Amino acid sequence: AQTVTQSQPEMSVQEAETVTLSCTYDTSESNYYLFWYKQPPSRQMILVIRQEAYKQQNATENRFSVNFQKAAKSFSLKISDSQLGDTAMYFCAFMKRYGGATNKLIFGTGTLLAVQP
Amino acid sequence: NAGVTQTPKFQVLKTGQSMTLQCAQDMNHEYMSWYRQDPGMGLRLIHYSVGAGITDQGEVPNGYNVSRSTTEDFPLRLLSAAPSQTSVYFCASSQGLAGYQETQYFGPGTRLLVL
């Protein structure tokens, strides 16, 4: 069975600074996807970034980038130039590729990020 | 294009009552699913559907029923509400199965309180 672990329940960063959120996972699969979702106080789940395990290049989306270490099963999220609107709960999630009839996402327990003015 | 919509936003039930949480998407997505979110536990899969007429159980299906009569709608029914079902419920959809258009998009959530 796959598991996703986020070891930082809460983090804080000053506006305009850089912060890194950690995520590790456990799987015996070789083909899979990893995601970071953001959940602001509105509770909407918003996709931040996606990484395909077969790609060596780390995914980037504007100020958001990941450090994907497949051998170490690590998938950290770096937020550059933090903004007040980045304040949210961040969830790391795993999904098997070609997982049959399910697109089941396996979520970590989340990291609450507070961006301070 | 409204994406994934859920109603109601908030609901209070008494133990033993039944209700249906509505979910609809206008993106012609084949795959739809329901998750529940509890404090300290992330999101867990309740039921999912790979197309109209096809549903299956996820990780925590007990106490919930689903049906998929159309591509657009995927309601979640609580048969006899229990306090343990107090949670935030999210509906999600994606265009296809894993390996294809599989990125999932979430609705805004329904907060349910069972007294």
Side-chain angles (χ1 to χ4, degrees):
Chain A
Q2 291 80 24
T3 59
V4 177
T5 301
Q6 294 179 250
S7 58
Q8 305 154 313
E10 295 183 21
M11 294 190 71
S12 181
V13 64
Q14 292 296 123
E15 199 174 3
E17 293 187 345
T18 296
V19 64
T20 299
L21 280 58
S22 300
C23 172
T24 59
Y25 58 95
D26 188 25
T27 184
S28 58
E29 302 288 331
S30 57
N31 287 315
Y32 50 88
Y33 296 94
L34 294 164
F35 304 85
W36 279 98
Y37 279 91
K38 167 186 176 181
Q39 188 178 42
S42 66
R43 289 202 308 272
Q44 177 78 48
M45 292 289 286
I46 302 166
L47 178 67
V48 175
I49 199 164
R50 174 184 121 160
Q51 175 80 42
E52 289 89 349
Y54 63 88
K55 290 186 178 179
Q56 292 185 339
Q57 186 173 4
N58 289 326
T60 62
E61 287 288 341
N62 300 314
R63 298 183 294 108
F64 299 88
S65 62
V66 298
N67 183 4
F68 174 48
Q69 302 290 327
K70 190 172 183 179
K73 296 180 182 176
S74 171
F75 184 60
S76 61
L77 175 69
K78 186 172 81 171
I79 306 174
S80 303
D81 186 26
S82 296
Q83 300 176 359
L84 295 178
D86 295 333
T87 293
M89 181 74 86
Y90 286 82
F91 290 97
C92 179
F94 170 99
M95 184 172 72
K96 286 196 298 185
R97 193 179 187 197
Y98 306 122
T102 176
N103 278 0
K104 177 182 176 180
L105 281 165
I106 299 171
F107 285 88
T109 53
T111 296
L112 182 60
L113 176 67
V115 179
Q116 306 293 342
Chain B
N1 191 331
V4 181
T5 59
Q6 291 182 238
T7 57
K9 291 184 179 180
F10 178 66
Q11 182 72 46
V12 179
L13 289 179
K14 294 181 179 178
T15 297
Q17 287 185 316
S18 63
M19 79 159 293
T20 299
L21 279 63
Q22 302 292 343
C23 173
Q25 51 89 12
D26 60 359
M27 298 175 282
N28 201 32
H29 283 177
E30 289 295 323
Y31 181 88
M32 297 184 74
S33 56
W34 279 101
Y35 290 84
R36 59 178 287 173
Q37 182 180 24
D38 301 299
M41 298 188 73
L43 281 76
R44 293 180 292 167
L45 182 65
I46 305 172
H47 284 285
Y48 64 94
S49 169
V50 299
I54 306 170
T55 64
D56 207 344
Q57 297 181 349
E59 187 181 357
V60 287
N62 292 340
Y64 307 95
N65 271 0
V66 292
S67 60
R68 184 97 178 267
S69 57
T70 66
T71 299
E72 295 77 20
D73 300 299
F74 190 44
L76 178 72
R77 281 182 287 277
L78 278 70
L79 307 173
S80 178
S84 61
Q85 293 179 304
T86 293
S87 189
V88 180
Y89 292 85
F90 287 96
C91 180
S93 74
S94 63
Q95 187 170 345
L97 297 179
Y100 302 97
Q101 299 294 321
E102 67 291 304
T103 296
Q104 293 189 46
Y105 299 92
F106 284 81
T110 293
R111 186 178 170 201
L112 179 66
L113 175 62
V114 183
L115 302 175

